[in-house]
Amino acid sequence: MYLAEETWTDADALDTTLALLPVGSTEQHGPHAPLGTDILTAEAVAAAGEEAYDDEVVVAPTIPVGIAEEHRQFTGTLWVSDDTFRQYVRETVQSLASHGWDRVVIVNGHGGNINALAEICQTITRHDDAFAVPFTWFTGNSEMGHGGPLETALLRHTNPDLVHEDRIEEAREGAAERWGDWTSRVNLAVDSAEFTENGVVGDPSAGDAKRGEALLADAGAALAKLLEAVSERDVSRPAHR
């Protein structure tokens, strides 16, 4: 059930404790992909997980602005501070929990959100009347990059009309091979503009729609499996010693 599309009475009748909260970012993704790439991919994965899951789950509206100051030199990028982001996510989860949807999986589409989400989910689970866990759809995939093959592939499958195919070669030619400016195992770069002239990391031409379809199916299945685990988990807190 998509919360934003329902009436309050229909939401009130829903019998579940599970919720998905998509979280993205509004930031540059090179000359070929939209500023809302991380929003669109998070929403697509949340939808795939909701469809693959065997029982009811609430899908909350997407949080569209995240921790993205590293892209600040590129026009259209929006960002908030780490503290603001953590507080916003926490209070959104608290409001979901107030209606009984107190087991929340946060579906993340942006790498810059990962550390803050890990921290705030721990805080929520330890101190609030809710259990929260983050799910980042591209975790563990070394090809992730930025506006590179994985994101381009997923967009080509889910939102092909938003991918500027005539700019793929431009994106590829100006892309960096990896994230950062590395010296002696240390990344010296603070912002993406320091190591990529067009904001791209990785080769977007390597991600076609068929690959995007497979990525989405895999992420949706993994998310459904996580929902099952969260639904069955004993979330009562250990007694203080």
Side-chain angles (χ1 to χ4, degrees):
M1 186 195 81
Y2 290 84
L3 194 59
E5 299 176 2
E6 301 296 331
T7 67
W8 80 264
T9 51
D10 290 333
D12 188 57
L14 190 65
D15 184 22
T16 185
T17 60
L18 287 173
L20 293 172
L21 174 59
V23 174
S25 181
T26 301
E27 62 182 43
Q28 68 84 15
H29 279 80
H32 67 296
L35 289 157
T37 291
D38 294 345
I39 299 169
L40 296 168
T41 55
E43 290 176 342
V45 170
E50 188 266 348
E51 184 176 355
Y53 184 59
D54 288 334
D55 211 338
E56 293 183 317
V57 57
V58 170
V59 182
T62 305
I63 294 176
V65 178
I67 300 169
E69 193 174 5
E70 68 271 21
H71 299 296
R72 60 197 173 95
Q73 290 91 350
F74 296 91
T75 304
T77 295
L78 307 178
W79 66 91
V80 294
S81 69
D82 292 31
D83 288 344
T84 297
F85 178 75
R86 286 193 294 264
Q87 189 66 21
Y88 195 96
V89 170
R90 184 177 186 179
E91 292 185 12
T92 302
V93 171
Q94 288 173 335
S95 63
L96 287 166
S98 74
H99 301 298
W101 307 312
D102 57 3
R103 296 170 185 247
V104 182
V105 177
I106 299 174
V107 183
N108 177 44
H110 172 49
N113 295 339
I114 290 175
N115 291 340
L117 287 175
E119 179 184 341
I120 200 59
C121 284
Q122 291 173 13
T123 298
I124 290 167
T125 299
R126 287 171 176 155
H127 300 289
D128 298 343
D129 293 326
F131 176 84
V133 60
F135 176 86
T136 300
W137 68 269
F138 51 83
T139 295
N141 196 316
S142 61
E143 291 187 82
M144 179 52 188
H146 185 79
L150 300 192
E151 288 181 308
T152 302
L154 193 49
L155 283 175
R156 278 172 160 164
H157 173 58
T158 61
N159 301 89
D161 55 319
L162 297 181
V163 178
H164 294 268
E165 295 293 345
D166 58 331
R167 301 176 188 171
I168 293 292
E169 184 61 20
E170 176 190 351
R172 187 190 68 79
E173 289 180 352
E177 292 184 2
R178 64 172 178 164
W179 186 273
D181 181 10
W182 292 85
T183 301
S184 189
R185 303 182 184 180
V186 175
N187 181 9
L188 301 179
V190 174
D191 294 331
S192 60
E194 296 180 61
F195 55 86
T196 170
E197 65 183 54
N198 65 2
V200 179
V201 179
D203 180 3
S205 67
D208 60 20
K210 185 175 181 180
R211 186 177 188 185
E213 183 179 10
L215 285 169
L216 185 60
D218 179 71
L223 180 54
K225 184 177 181 180
L226 176 60
L227 283 168
E228 184 68 30
V230 170
S231 72
E232 296 175 351
R233 184 173 179 81
D234 179 3
V235 297
S236 59
R237 296 183 182 87
H240 292 291
R241 295 184 182 276

